[in-house]
Amino acid sequence: MLTGMQIAVIGGDARQLEVVRKLTELDAKLFLVGFEQLDHSFTGAVKESLGSLELSEIDTIILPVPGTGSDGKVETIFSSEDVIITEEIISKTPPHCTIYSGISNDYLNGIIKKAKRRLVKLFERDDVAIYNSIPTVEGTIMMAIQHTDFTIHGSNVVVLGFGRTGMSVSRTFQALGAKVKVGARKSEDLARITEMAMTPFHLSNLAENVRDVDICINTIPFPIVTASILANMPVHTLLIDLASKPGGTDFRYAEKRGIKALLAPGLPGIVAPKTAGQILANVLSQLIEEDMHIRKGKSQ
Ligand code: NAP
């Protein structure tokens, strides 16, 4: 239970509603900033403006998945007001206050560091990334179906990267009957790809492995699908780039060559906001409970 914890949820999309639901069920007291247009109300949660929030009593701040923009602006789909997080705001919280976001950027890292608070980036955690790969894969399948006139079954699929997302993507496309090749650079990844009955190749041999590709799915956040790689792909190839912005594809050259290349960020929040929110809510509730116990232990 989170009885006694005072938590500010600042901005966010439908995923944050699952977080609010879970944390209020656990008896935390919630302050919702940037939610004034939300029709729904939650027992134990009050809507506040950033200016009227008693920051000195806040134990935890939960930011939206992207954290803030590079100007400190927080994404607020349930509000028309600008909500901007500054170092001054963070400094008004008590020293034990922990800030949670999905990812971060130089601006957010900088203000948190200057304010000497702790920032937890949930998407850096393996558990969150692996759970999140489930709706990501479903969104990728949706895109593959929407943007092709052939079945996934029987098609040549190349997946780039064999991390938490790449592994889930390649296994699922294989289960749908695609002939899946996976490009990686670690020998243990190449061994695992073989063990899973897919075709491995080292990324240094990427150019020769895309000559007959129908669907290429990139999960590597690095410029990997360069013009010279695209030049080797058939023109009918559908390229779905899942890597975080700006992706790993030379989109300008893809367009020039007539290859359909789609950057597809944030699929979990688009195809399954409820599940994506529950993934965050479950991890957040555990982490906040741990914070609470550590703090109580220190004060005894
Ligand atoms: P991950 O577990 O860290 O996997 C990244 C993969 O990329 C690993 O195979 C890694 O290989 C490889 N890689 C990284 N840099 C490389 C380089 N310079 N050259 C060659 N290979 C490189 O990450 P993840 O959780 O799977 O996420 C992958 C990307 O997808 C991230 O950008 C993430 O933000 C994004 N993502 C997007 C969505 C969406 O909805 N579009 C959803 C979830 C995640 P090594 O292990 O050898 O380093």
Side-chain angles (χ1 to χ4, degrees):
M1 295 301 284
L2 299 175
T3 310
M5 288 297 277
Q6 305 224 46
I7 301 172
V9 179
I10 306 182
D13 56 26
R15 286 175 282 187
Q16 290 316 55
L17 304 184
E18 293 304 316
V19 172
V20 173
R21 195 184 320 278
K22 175 96 182 181
L23 298 181
T24 50
E25 272 169 22
L26 291 170
D27 202 27
K29 180 153 192 217
L30 263 68
F31 301 93
L32 310 183
V33 177
F35 286 87
E36 75 272 2
Q37 289 172 2
L38 177 70
D39 289 337
H40 195 84
S41 63
F42 296 89
T43 311
V46 289
K47 292 176 192 164
E48 283 276 8
S49 68
L50 196 51
S52 56
L53 196 60
E54 269 307 328
L55 286 157
S56 61
E57 295 183 2
I58 297 295
D59 301 300
T60 307
I61 291 179
I62 300 174
L63 296 175
V65 166
T68 65
S70 53
D71 51 359
K73 210 164 157 184
V74 167
E75 168 188 278
T76 51
I77 68 155
F78 298 108
S79 170
S80 50
E81 303 207 344
D82 279 354
V83 176
I84 296 173
I85 304 292
T86 60
E87 184 202 335
E88 196 192 347
I89 288 170
I90 301 293
S91 298
K92 286 183 183 159
T93 60
H96 70 260
C97 178
T98 303
I99 294 94
Y100 290 91
S101 69
I103 55 174
S104 187
N105 56 28
D106 289 345
Y107 174 87
L108 185 58
N109 290 338
I111 61 167
I112 301 280
K113 196 172 168 199
K114 280 192 196 145
K116 298 195 176 72
R117 297 293 180 270
R118 192 167 70 100
L119 174 68
V120 178
K121 290 165 262 181
L122 295 170
F123 281 17
E124 283 187 356
R125 293 174 56 95
D126 280 342
D127 53 2
V128 174
I130 292 168
Y131 286 129
N132 220 29
S133 74
I134 301 167
T136 305
V137 171
E138 293 192 11
T140 310
I141 294 167
M142 176 190 79
M143 293 190 72
I145 292 170
Q146 274 175 348
H147 294 280
T148 55
D149 56 4
F150 49 85
T151 57
I152 292 172
H153 185 278
S155 61
N156 293 322
V157 172
V158 169
V159 178
L160 304 179
F162 199 60
R164 297 157 305 185
T165 309
M167 187 186 281
S168 305
V169 167
S170 44
R171 199 199 22 245
T172 311
F173 275 76
Q174 183 195 34
L176 288 172
K179 289 171 255 168
V180 180
K181 282 196 217 172
V182 187
R185 59 182 176 178
K186 284 191 194 136
S187 62
E188 61 265 40
D189 286 345
L190 300 174
R192 180 61 70 193
I193 296 159
T194 308
E195 179 275 325
M196 290 170 73
M198 297 180 291
T199 307
F201 65 89
H202 193 279
L203 284 167
S204 56
N205 301 322
L206 178 55
E208 64 228 51
N209 279 284
V210 295
R211 288 189 206 284
D212 61 351
V213 61
D214 298 310
I215 302 172
C216 179
I217 301 162
N218 177 47
T219 71
I220 300 177
F222 179 80
I224 186 102
V225 190
T226 57
S228 60
I229 300 298
L230 288 159
N232 273 291
M233 287 183 184
V235 179
H236 75 264
T237 305
L238 170 68
L239 203 152
I240 303 174
D241 198 334
L242 299 177
S244 50
K245 282 179 191 167
T249 304
D250 184 338
F251 288 98
R252 184 203 62 84
Y253 186 76
E255 191 179 353
K256 191 171 175 195
R257 187 142 196 274
I259 290 178
K260 191 184 269 188
L262 308 167
L263 184 62
L267 287 176
I270 296 167
V271 298
K274 193 174 175 76
T275 310
Q278 284 165 347
I279 292 166
L280 294 174
N282 290 339
V283 176
L284 268 170
S285 54
Q286 281 170 26
L287 294 177
I288 296 170
E289 202 163 348
E290 281 167 24
D291 288 347
M292 190 175 86
H293 290 310
I294 290 169
R295 196 154 57 85
K296 276 189 182 159
K298 277 187 188 157
S299 64
Q300 276 168 8

